[in-house]
Amino acid sequence: MDTKKLGFNTKLVHAGVSKDAYGSAVTPIYQTSTFAFDNAQTGADRFAGRDDGYIYTRIGNPTIRALEKNVAELENGFDGIATASGMGAVSVVYMSVLSQGVHLVSTASVYGPSRGLIEKQFCKFGVEYTYVDTSDVDNVRAALRPNTKLVYLESPSNPAMLVTDIRAVSEVAHQHGALVAVDNTFASPHLQKPLDLGADIVFHSVTKFINGHADVVGGIIVAKDREVYKQLRATMVILGVNMDPHQAYLVSRGLKTLSLRVERAQENAMKVARWLEAHPKVAWVRYVGLESHPQHELVKRQMNGFGSMISFELKGGYEAGRNLMDNVHLATLAVSLGGVESLIEHPASMTHAGMSPADRLEAGITDGLVRYSVGIEDVNDLIADLEQAIGKV
Ligand SMILES: Cc1ncc(COP(=O)(O)O)c(C=O)c1O
């Protein structure tokens, strides 16, 4: 079935599913490392690219392909590449586009390890970089150099919830001949389609919203055009960071309900954010759905909803943040996000504890900041849990 012209929810359920010999309703787990060739000619044809049958699971596998094709259609891209983790996807993007003497411009408050990979590893091979607040397009313009080959964005960013104008930045980057890659993990393709906004590459930690059930780690990349796709796939295959068929099966299963989960969670998030904003012990709330978010108007233009990630600052600072962690009972005290269950964490003492206080402040991570990934539970229960916990702070 050609699913390309169908609506987003229909694609979620049907795109990428191919008929097999038994008429399976969903793509089964092809748990095999290798695929037999009928004869020597078939083997030669597959290696030469004259026959698109499967060779070896690191290169391609039907269960993994079903997920790749599905997400490629959701993101309106040419094709997808699934990886072992979100960081696997980030590594493939960097490795594919960057080389010695090449310069990267990126969002300062990007996911820590995405920045660490450049500053601790790629710099060893002569890659240059500039991190700026990409929510101001003028900062990106000023940072571009003749050797800039990649503009790497995360929007909304984690946990500062800064939003970058993907269309405006893509125009500026393309005038300089640089590619634009967007980490779309926080939004998911249900809420934001960076390729439609001008980006060349979009990728996700599928560990989050795409899988949505906190039981798989994985990543996926979608390229807008064939040439970039071919380069990314070749890099993934040679790095060996492929997804596993069983992982791909679980992600495909979770993905089918993406819209339902995201819609429900963002409905909860709006109520939780408004409740927090009115609380006397809360200094401020950063949620892209609130009128108080500095880029609320851009979010309405660029995104198809507000999602379910909230950051808020407790008036009592560091100790208050830690205290809250010990008193919530319903939200799980854990890193990660985008699952059906609500997750809460305190970046200053947990995910971002390794940064210096000065770097944390520059990235907008204050001492009392709490990150809350709102799930699909009954919102009254979530608010009651926060109420009793904040009461003890
Ligand atoms: C925005 C973002 N990008 C990338 C990653 C890395 O993904 P993974 O943990 O699946 O390797 C994460 C993980 O938290 C993330 O939040």
Side-chain angles (χ1 to χ4, degrees), residues 85-88 90 111 114 152 154 158 183 185-186 203-208 217-219 336-337 371:
S85 68
M87 283 313 296
V90 174
Y111 177 63
S114 306
Y152 179 105
E154 188 177 309
N158 169 23
D183 184 334
T185 300
F186 261 45
F203 58 94
H204 295 264
S205 163
V206 304
T207 316
K208 316 297 180 333
V217 169
S336 200
L337 56 109
R371 192 184 77 180

Side-chain angles (χ1 to χ4, degrees), residues 271-337:
K271 289 180 184 154
V272 170
R274 290 211 189 283
W275 181 85
L276 283 167
E277 211 173 31
H279 199 287
K281 287 190 181 173
V282 174
W284 48 257
V285 180
R286 196 50 82 78
Y287 174 58
V288 296
L290 292 177
E291 296 75 12
S292 58
H293 189 282
Q295 292 153 299
H296 183 62
E297 290 309 314
L298 168 62
V299 170
K300 285 203 282 188
R301 279 204 311 278
Q302 178 163 288
M303 294 174 67
N304 172 37
F306 303 124
S308 49
M309 294 305 300
I310 301 176
S311 289
F312 61 96
E313 171 79 8
L314 287 170
K315 283 185 180 157
Y318 190 88
E319 278 314 312
R322 274 184 56 108
N323 235 307
L324 184 71
M325 299 302 110
D326 283 334
N327 286 300
V328 282
H329 302 311
L330 188 55
T332 305
L333 173 54
V335 297
S336 200
L337 56 109

Side-chain angles (χ1 to χ4, degrees), residues 85-94 98 104 106-123 129 131 152 154 157-159 183 185-186 203 205 208 217 335-337 345 347 350-355 363 365 371:
S85 68
M87 283 313 296
V90 174
S91 306
V92 168
V93 171
Y94 287 158
L98 302 174
L104 155 102
S106 183
T107 306
S109 58
V110 75
Y111 177 63
S114 306
R115 185 166 172 166
L117 190 52
I118 293 291
E119 292 182 331
K120 295 199 176 80
Q121 304 296 332
F122 276 79
C123 67
Y129 53 87
Y131 284 93
Y152 179 105
E154 188 177 309
S157 70
N158 169 23
D183 184 334
T185 300
F186 261 45
F203 58 94
S205 163
K208 316 297 180 333
V217 169
V335 297
S336 200
L337 56 109
E345 71 120 349
M350 296 172 186
T351 42
H352 296 73
M355 287 168 82
I365 305 161
R371 192 184 77 180

Side-chain angles (χ1 to χ4, degrees), residues 85-356:
S85 68
M87 283 313 296
V90 174
S91 306
V92 168
V93 171
Y94 287 158
M95 191 64 102
S96 186
V97 184
L98 302 174
S99 56
Q100 191 174 29
V102 152
H103 178 243
L104 155 102
V105 175
S106 183
T107 306
S109 58
V110 75
Y111 177 63
S114 306
R115 185 166 172 166
L117 190 52
I118 293 291
E119 292 182 331
K120 295 199 176 80
Q121 304 296 332
F122 276 79
C123 67
K124 294 192 292 203
F125 309 111
V127 169
E128 300 168 13
Y129 53 87
T130 310
Y131 284 93
V132 293
D133 174 0
T134 53
S135 68
D136 182 345
V137 65
D138 288 336
N139 292 339
V140 177
R141 198 177 280 113
L144 289 167
R145 299 180 191 164
N147 58 340
T148 307
K149 288 281 179 280
L150 180 64
V151 174
Y152 179 105
L153 306 173
E154 188 177 309
S155 181
S157 70
N158 169 23
M161 303 305 292
L162 285 174
V163 178
T164 296
D165 186 333
I166 296 169
R167 192 183 293 283
V169 169
S170 297
E171 273 171 25
V172 169
H174 289 156
Q175 280 161 13
H176 272 72
L179 288 178
V180 176
V182 178
D183 184 334
N184 203 23
T185 300
F186 261 45
S188 89
H190 178 64
L191 297 182
Q192 180 168 273
K193 295 187 184 56
L195 302 184
D196 289 355
L197 297 166
D200 306 282
I201 299 167
V202 59
F203 58 94
H204 295 264
S205 163
V206 304
T207 316
K208 316 297 180 333
F209 290 97
I210 288 192
N211 177 60
H213 293 77
D215 52 7
V216 174
V217 169
I220 200 154
I221 312 167
V222 177
K224 183 141 93 188
D225 74 45
R226 179 190 298 270
E227 279 318 302
V228 175
Y229 166 76
K230 277 170 63 180
Q231 205 178 315
L232 288 162
R233 178 161 288 278
T235 307
M236 184 283 286
V237 167
I238 210 155
L239 278 179
V241 291
N242 59 286
M243 191 177 267
D244 175 82
H246 189 249
Q247 229 180 327
Y249 169 83
L250 285 170
V251 177
S252 289
R253 180 180 158 124
L255 177 59
K256 290 184 199 296
T257 55
L258 176 73
S259 297
L260 297 174
R261 291 184 278 105
V262 169
E263 289 289 330
R264 164 67 183 228
Q266 72 178 0
E267 207 180 289
N268 283 354
M270 183 59 100
K271 289 180 184 154
V272 170
R274 290 211 189 283
W275 181 85
L276 283 167
E277 211 173 31
H279 199 287
K281 287 190 181 173
V282 174
W284 48 257
V285 180
R286 196 50 82 78
Y287 174 58
V288 296
L290 292 177
E291 296 75 12
S292 58
H293 189 282
Q295 292 153 299
H296 183 62
E297 290 309 314
L298 168 62
V299 170
K300 285 203 282 188
R301 279 204 311 278
Q302 178 163 288
M303 294 174 67
N304 172 37
F306 303 124
S308 49
M309 294 305 300
I310 301 176
S311 289
F312 61 96
E313 171 79 8
L314 287 170
K315 283 185 180 157
Y318 190 88
E319 278 314 312
R322 274 184 56 108
N323 235 307
L324 184 71
M325 299 302 110
D326 283 334
N327 286 300
V328 282
H329 302 311
L330 188 55
T332 305
L333 173 54
V335 297
S336 200
L337 56 109
V340 290
E341 58 288 293
S342 295
L343 299 177
I344 198 161
E345 71 120 349
H346 179 227
S349 67
M350 296 172 186
T351 42
H352 296 73
M355 287 168 82
S356 72

